[in-house]
Amino acid sequence: MKMRITTVLSTLLLLSVSAWGQMTTEEYIATYKHIAIEEMQNYRIPASITLAQGILESNSGNSALAVEANNHFGIKCHKEWSGDTFYQDDDEKGECFRSYDSPLDSYTDHSYFLQQPRYKPLFQLAIDDYKGWAKGLQKCGYATDKGYANKLIALVELYSLYELDREEIPSW
């Protein structure tokens, strides 16, 4: 319950920041780190990686996809998606992206999305192996950018996001 209250407060902070202009990366981290830690505790995905992906994919919450569709991870519709959609150019013109009611829904769906069999090898890595996770996401085809892993690693190190991976997680 306490974590959900923190999540609500973080969302309110996001709304107040958005009303005044672009969110900085530091504000993005402060707003979403609690959600990333909660997702790490629930799904065993490093909080550092979740936040680095959110920063990179959403331009720290400032991209049209994040602002208009609450999609912080660039997750496309794919054939199994039956929820709301948002269209924008990406690798191809007018691609379909998932749209969410809130950023929290985007974070939760990101964790669910990574449960697909193609990402299974990542869950063999240590929770604090952010470099392995970044390289694994690229190898598994999360993004088409050939520099994706290096960008995630750079963000984790620049903002010391690896410290979030040290939060208590349940034993599996």
Side-chain angles (χ1 to χ4, degrees):
M1 180 68 176
K2 182 179 178 185
M3 190 60 74
R4 289 293 173 194
I5 291 171
T6 304
T7 300
V8 170
L9 292 174
S10 295
T11 302
L12 290 174
L13 173 64
L14 166 68
L15 293 174
S16 65
V17 170
S18 296
W20 296 102
Q22 297 271 313
M23 182 182 292
T24 67
T25 301
E26 291 82 0
E27 290 167 335
Y28 185 89
I29 293 166
T31 301
Y32 294 111
K33 71 180 180 181
H34 302 292
I35 298 172
I37 292 167
E38 184 176 355
E39 293 301 305
M40 176 179 70
Q41 292 170 341
N42 291 333
Y43 294 96
R44 203 161 160 63
I45 300 162
S48 62
I49 288 297
T50 298
L51 272 176
Q53 284 190 280
I55 291 165
L56 183 59
E57 296 284 349
S58 76
N59 187 26
S60 298
N62 296 307
S63 71
L65 190 58
V67 172
E68 296 177 42
N70 288 312
N71 186 330
H72 287 241
F73 299 95
I75 299 177
K76 295 181 180 174
C77 294
H78 305 288
K79 57 185 161 197
E80 77 280 354
W81 181 249
S82 61
D84 292 337
T85 58
F86 181 84
Y87 292 88
Q88 76 174 20
D89 296 348
D90 191 44
D91 295 330
E92 297 178 20
K93 188 173 175 77
E95 290 194 85
C96 183
F97 288 85
R98 298 178 183 192
S99 181
Y100 305 99
D101 290 334
S102 70
L104 174 60
D105 292 342
S106 177
Y107 271 75
T108 302
D109 190 50
H110 172 260
S111 296
Y112 178 75
F113 184 81
L114 292 180
Q115 302 305 305
Q116 295 178 68
R118 76 192 241 190
Y119 299 110
K120 187 176 181 179
L122 298 174
F123 293 91
Q124 303 306 311
L125 300 171
I127 198 73
D128 61 353
D129 184 4
Y130 65 89
K131 290 180 182 178
W133 269 83
K135 292 172 184 174
L137 283 167
Q138 183 173 327
K139 184 177 181 180
C140 292
Y142 187 92
T144 56
D145 180 354
K146 294 192 186 321
Y148 193 73
N150 290 333
K151 289 175 183 177
L152 292 179
I153 292 167
L155 286 167
V156 169
E157 293 175 350
L158 178 63
Y159 294 103
S160 302
L161 299 177
Y162 48 80
E163 292 176 3
L164 301 175
D165 298 338
R166 297 182 184 133
E167 294 291 325
E168 184 82 17
I169 61 169
S171 55
W172 299 90

